[in-house]
Amino acid sequence: MNCNSFEALIALYAEGDLDSSRAKSVESHLQSCASCQRFLNELEASQAMVKELATESLDSASFNVVRQRVMQEVNRRQAARPLWWRFLSPAVARWRPAWAVSLAVLVALGFLLQWQLWRKPAGSARPDASTVDSGSTVRKDSLEISTPSPSEKTEPEQQSPRELTTREFAKHRKPPVAQDLLFPAGGEPDAIAAESEPPVEQGSNLEPEAPQPADIVPEPPPPLVIKLITDDPNIVIVWLVDQEVHHN
Amino acid sequence: MQYCLYEEAIRCGETKVATASGECTLMIDDAHLDSPTENDPTAVCLKQAKAGDASAFEQIIVLHQRQVLTTSLRLLGDMKDAQDAAQEVFLRLFKYLHRFQDGREFPPWLYRVTVNVCRDAQRRRQRTATVSLDDLVESGEMREPASTTDLEAELSLTEKRGFVAEALKRLPEKERAAVVLRDIEGLSTREVASILGSSEVTVRSQVSSARMKMKLFLERRLKRRS
């Protein structure tokens, strides 16, 4: 390390800014180098001049000018503030953490409420067969009556429901034997009343069977299935009714 | 009442200082000296000033105006510019008073604001006509070896201060800030690094370079005067 490199270290050494190991290195160099020793002496002299600035005291008029101008501006700004803010700002400043926490809680509650409101309609779109939303309107004239077939029992959602109004059903149906047994007077069933279907062969619930002789006792019919279609296409009310056969 | 700074007030046992709007009572009575927080009059004044007390804010100015104005003067080299900068520092303090956290060290924060305000003022001023010490050193004008210790002894204090102020003005901005805070304000290297937002190694390098440049400049000035 040459003397030029040492000068930068000497500039720090003069004010005690070097660590002990570097200070020892500089000291050992100073003992053997007269030029660097002279540099140190000159630097200490200039540093003494610089530090004399710290003892300089300014006159009070210089401070007063600054203070008066600042306070004039401060008073002007305070007067320009709205009256309500002048009363409120100390409370806001004093309880700043409390305000921050309260605001955070309010925001969190707002998000929670919004989430609940968003979630509620999505949840009501998936009702099960046993529960029906009280708010949904039941279309009473839209009835589907069928007997469960094996395919319906295994894959009910793949079957497209056959919808018939009660009038269409009454018009197009062929009266089965079981119907005669249920309604011997031959009267028209009520709109909502369960209508029986004749026992059908599995897989064909649309074609009624041919009438059987009167002396043959029919087998117990399969349970009657009544589907009530509502305005909501996702809501279907299903009744399963056991049929009774009356023998005269 | 004769004007006195806070340090003098403490030393003299005074509890009042003269301000622009009359006398201000310093919060330094014995009751406030018990707890560490209330031991600091600045902390008490800050709390009151945050609550909207203008006289408490004026007390803060009284307590710290020497720090702000002298530092601004060293950094800018002109009293009028320094007063403008000091005014801006205290107005920024008033504006962002609510952001200052209780328990935090106030003087370093105020030094940082002062350095930033002076740096902005200097950039606005754009005094390109000023010859920097770097230019003088590179041109070889300041390489004359001289033993100036005898000459220095003959100088008046005012002349010395004028030379030092001129040397400071010619330093690069960052080196000037480092050497003012370290050598004139007497802060530690760590504190200077914290205020300037740089590392201690950088501050040491800036201080070392500034000291050598100022030494050369002062030698040159003293030699010319003789």
Side-chain angles (χ1 to χ4, degrees), chain B residues 55-108:
Chain B
S55 64
F57 185 76
E58 190 168 9
Q59 285 185 31
I60 296 172
I61 299 176
V62 170
L63 295 174
H64 296 279
Q65 59 189 356
R66 193 207 66 83
Q67 172 191 337
V68 174
L69 188 60
T70 54
T71 306
S72 302
L73 183 60
R74 309 299 175 231
L75 293 174
L76 295 173
D78 180 77
M79 177 53 87
K80 191 175 179 304
D81 291 343
Q83 285 177 327
D84 290 343
Q87 179 185 346
E88 176 64 21
V89 169
F90 285 118
L91 287 177
R92 281 195 195 182
L93 171 63
F94 178 74
K95 186 177 180 181
Y96 300 110
L97 196 61
H98 60 280
R99 292 191 189 174
F100 187 80
Q101 298 166 352
D102 295 334
R104 194 177 164 192
E105 283 283 323
F106 184 69

Side-chain angles (χ1 to χ4, degrees), chain A residues 176-187:
Chain A
V177 173
Q179 179 67 24
D180 294 337
L181 294 173
L182 281 169
F183 303 101

Side-chain angles (χ1 to χ4, degrees), chain B residues 160-175:
Chain B
K160 286 180 190 174
R161 284 173 179 164
F163 289 162
V164 173
E166 195 178 353
L168 281 172
K169 274 167 75 173
R170 290 168 185 267
L171 283 174
E173 183 185 302
K174 289 182 178 177
E175 290 182 6

Side-chain angles (χ1 to χ4, degrees), chain A residues 76-208:
Chain A
R76 191 192 65 77
R77 289 186 187 182
Q78 281 194 332
R81 286 177 179 172
L83 193 62
W84 60 269
W85 178 247
R86 267 182 264 170
F87 286 106
L88 197 63
S89 60
V92 171
R94 178 172 294 183
W95 302 104
R96 185 171 298 276
W99 286 113
V101 170
S102 305
L103 189 64
V105 169
L106 278 177
V107 169
L109 282 175
F111 274 113
L112 192 64
L113 188 66
Q114 185 67 25
W115 183 65
Q116 290 287 349
L117 289 174
W118 172 81
R119 204 181 160 193
K120 199 170 183 180
S124 64
R126 295 187 297 275
D128 55 12
S130 61
T131 60
V132 177
D133 188 3
S134 60
S136 61
T137 307
V138 176
R139 287 193 322 203
K140 293 183 177 181
D141 59 346
S142 176
L143 281 173
E144 179 189 352
I145 301 175
S146 62
T147 52
S149 63
S151 60
E152 280 179 315
K153 288 173 183 173
T154 53
E155 294 176 351
E157 55 272 61
Q158 292 179 2
Q159 291 280 335
S160 59
R162 173 174 171 263
E163 293 187 20
L164 287 174
T165 63
T166 48
R167 289 181 186 279
E168 287 172 343
F169 182 80
K171 183 178 178 182
H172 293 291
R173 75 181 176 87
K174 295 177 181 178
V177 173
Q179 179 67 24
D180 294 337
L181 294 173
L182 281 169
F183 303 101
E188 193 71 20
D190 291 336
I192 304 300
E195 293 194 33
S196 63
E197 242 184 0
V200 293
E201 292 178 2
Q202 289 192 349
S204 64
N205 58 346
L206 298 178
E207 290 296 328

Side-chain angles (χ1 to χ4, degrees), chain B residues 43-212:
Chain B
V44 177
C45 292
L46 280 171
K47 195 175 286 185
Q48 293 175 345
K50 281 182 183 178
D53 188 349
S55 64
F57 185 76
E58 190 168 9
Q59 285 185 31
I60 296 172
I61 299 176
V62 170
L63 295 174
H64 296 279
Q65 59 189 356
R66 193 207 66 83
Q67 172 191 337
V68 174
L69 188 60
T70 54
T71 306
S72 302
L73 183 60
R74 309 299 175 231
L75 293 174
L76 295 173
D78 180 77
M79 177 53 87
K80 191 175 179 304
D81 291 343
Q83 285 177 327
D84 290 343
Q87 179 185 346
E88 176 64 21
V89 169
F90 285 118
L91 287 177
R92 281 195 195 182
L93 171 63
F94 178 74
K95 186 177 180 181
Y96 300 110
L97 196 61
H98 60 280
R99 292 191 189 174
F100 187 80
Q101 298 166 352
D102 295 334
R104 194 177 164 192
E105 283 283 323
F106 184 69
W109 185 81
L110 201 58
Y111 270 123
R112 192 175 302 129
V113 176
T114 306
V115 169
N116 289 339
V117 168
C118 290
R119 187 183 55 208
D120 295 345
Q122 201 154 24
R123 286 175 185 171
R124 277 198 305 268
R125 200 165 53 182
Q126 294 284 328
R127 286 184 176 169
T128 52
T130 306
V131 180
S132 72
L133 281 179
D134 288 327
D135 298 335
L136 292 175
V137 170
E138 284 173 10
S139 65
E141 193 181 352
M142 294 177 61
R143 290 195 183 282
E144 302 169 26
S147 176
T148 56
T149 47
D150 295 336
L151 292 172
E152 185 216 330
E154 297 172 7
L155 282 174
S156 69
L157 193 63
T158 310
E159 279 179 309
K160 286 180 190 174
R161 284 173 179 164
F163 289 162
V164 173
E166 195 178 353
L168 281 172
K169 274 167 75 173
R170 290 168 185 267
L171 283 174
E173 183 185 302
K174 289 182 178 177
E175 290 182 6
R176 180 169 57 245
V179 83
V180 163
L181 294 175
R182 177 72 186 93
D183 289 346
I184 299 176
E185 292 297 313
L187 303 178
S188 68
T189 305
R190 176 176 292 182
E191 288 171 328
V192 175
S194 171
I195 289 167
L196 298 180
S198 55
S199 67
E200 291 184 44
V201 174
T202 305
V203 169
R204 281 198 196 93
S205 169
Q206 289 167 343
V207 165
S208 172
S209 174
R211 284 173 184 165
M212 287 194 292

